[in-house]
Amino acid sequence: MENTEQAVLSPADVETLARLTEREREILKLIFDGRCSSEVAQALRVSKRTVDFHLARAYVKLGVTNRFQAFKRSVELGLISE
């Protein structure tokens, strides 16, 4: 049986989601699919430095300091499912 109950986001969480750009969300999803920065860069046809820049900005907006924390926070916010 599926759980149709959805978590209610706080106003701060909604603001956090709104501040993430589409590119930051896209890169986070690719990283969480198991790709490294170089693979994401190749897939998006940008430099690894550009990917790392977007990741760093996303970390600040999510209030985290590494990929594991970013993954956990993204699940909490509903950006991705476990």
Side-chain angles (χ1 to χ4, degrees):
M1 189 163 163
E2 261 183 57
N3 184 2
T4 57
E5 186 178 319
Q6 198 151 22
V8 177
L9 297 177
S10 72
D13 290 343
V14 172
E15 183 180 334
T16 297
L17 284 172
R19 292 186 340 195
L20 286 169
T21 67
E22 254 333 287
R23 187 59 118 183
E24 290 164 350
R25 291 170 190 246
E26 181 178 25
I27 288 172
L28 285 169
K29 288 176 183 175
L30 290 169
I31 291 291
F32 299 150
D33 282 342
R35 298 184 187 196
C36 67
S37 293
S38 297
E39 292 169 329
V40 172
Q42 187 175 15
L44 299 178
R45 299 179 196 260
V46 298
S47 72
K48 179 184 174 298
R49 184 175 174 180
T50 298
V51 170
D52 291 339
F53 172 80
H54 285 296
L55 275 177
R57 297 303 308 146
Y59 289 176
V60 168
K61 292 174 185 179
L62 292 171
V64 300
T65 58
N66 61 51
R67 289 179 190 212
F68 177 76
Q69 292 173 346
F71 177 80
K72 184 178 174 189
R73 186 71 176 123
S74 294
V75 170
E76 291 171 357
L77 294 172
L79 282 174
I80 56 167
S81 58
E82 291 183 86

